[in-house]
């Protein structure tokens, strides 16, 4: 069984009450939905319909690097053709997380990615995601908060607009700003003022760093951007001083093991440093990143953590509780979730 055809973890891992802090809406697709959209909207695909999955999911014969990984998001942009489609993919993302036993979700989305193909207004797109997420959260009994992402390789001006619009929607579930995109070739620095404005307005901040860039980017995210959490950050292990800084601050790492393998961050799944990060006292959470692109679930990632990295059931439970503590909920909401998840874990953990 290859990594590209994971066994959906049934039973134990699915029943674990899990928390996902790092999941991109655009990476949470259902191929069948995309096929339906392609037909309805008469989208001209560069491949036959039965090969659509090759455009949007990592294939076993493809090079494992950031360029191929990010190309999937480019291919996906053409599908966001109507408000109904944007509402539908949001709903399905939350439904799929709920089915997988996720009990609290922070779903991030890139307004520009959803708006671009049809030239929708950024604020409109954000409203559609907020509305659909709120309804799906109720219908599938999955508390959900939203994070807006801006890409390093795209416009700083658009990022500034996104922040202004996000600040107006804090009452509608938007809790944070994320910096994503091509870390290999683009600096975070031009976005510093935009992130300061977000923080001053009350948004939390998470930065993709130490994924396709080195540990210096993790230091920058912590010290300069004052990030509350780091997306991935696994390359922190290349610099002991940065690891010590992260340990001291207890900055949470949003680790996504399979994504890191598929996008070339680590040369083999087994080479992932999650176990060493935990042993070093870093604040590690476990997440999916892009479950549709990677063809994984969060249950799969918990199974990998146990079976490939030898994490005990107690260690898995500790990672889940770390994610609750690192969440962008208010303190009162966090305490409530902690109580609920602890109760559910007591029932699930042997
Ligand atoms: N956007 C979606 N997934 C990403 C990742 N793993 N790194 C950076 N940007 C992303
Ligand atoms: Zn990500």
């Amino acid at each position: 069984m290859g990594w590209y055809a994971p066994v959906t973890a049934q039973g134990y891992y699915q029943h674990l009450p899990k928390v996902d802090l790092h999941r991109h809406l655009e990476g949470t697709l259902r191929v069948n939905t995309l096929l339906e959209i392609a037909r309805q909207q008469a989208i001209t695909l560069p491949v036959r319909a039965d090969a659509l999955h090759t455009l949007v999911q990592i294939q076993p014969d493809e090079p494992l690097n950031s360029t191929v990984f990010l190309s999937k998001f480019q291919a996906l942009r053409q599908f966001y053709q109507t408000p109904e489609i944007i509402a539908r993919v949001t709903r399905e993302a939350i439904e799929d997380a709920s089915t997988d036993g996720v009990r609290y979700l922070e779903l991030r989305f890139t307004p520009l990615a959803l708006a671009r193909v049809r030239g929708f207004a950024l604020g409109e797109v954000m409203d559609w995601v907020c509305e659909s997420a709120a309804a799906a959260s109720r219908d599938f009994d999955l508390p959900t908060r939203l994070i807006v992402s801006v890409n390093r390789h795209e416009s700083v001006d658009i990022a500034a607009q996104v922040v202004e619009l996000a600040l107006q929607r804090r009452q509608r579930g938007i809790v944070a700003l994320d910096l994503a995109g091509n870390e290999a070739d683009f600096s975070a620095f031009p976005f510093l003022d935009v992130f300061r404005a977000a923080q001053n307005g009350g948004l939390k901040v998470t930065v993709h760093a130490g994924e396709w860039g080195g540990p210096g980017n993790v230091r920058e995210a912590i010290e300069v951007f004052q990030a509350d959490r780091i997306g991935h950050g696994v390359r922190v292990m290349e610099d002991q001083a940065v690891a010590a800084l992260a340990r001291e601050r207890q900055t949470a790492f949003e680790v996504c093991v399979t994504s890191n393998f598929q996008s070339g961050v680590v040369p083999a799944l087994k080479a992932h440093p999650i176990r060493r990060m935990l042993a070093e006292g870093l604040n590690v959470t476990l997440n999916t990143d892009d479950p549709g692109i990677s063809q994984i679930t969060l249950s799969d990632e918990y199974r990998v953590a146990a079976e490939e990295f030898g994490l005990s059931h107690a260690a898995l439970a500790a990672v889940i509780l770390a994610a609750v503590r690192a969440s962008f909920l208010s303190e009162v909401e966090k305490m409530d979730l902690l109580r609920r998840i602890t109760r559910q874990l007591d029932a699930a953990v042997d």
Side-chain angles (χ1 to χ4, degrees), residues 5 65 78 82 104 126 255:
N65 59 48
Q78 66 192 308
T82 68
Y104 172 68
M126 290 162 80
V255 171

Side-chain angles (χ1 to χ4, degrees), residues 197-211:
Q199 269 164 335
N200 290 339
L203 291 174
K204 300 284 189 183
V205 161
T206 177
V207 175
H208 282 70
E211 181 192 22

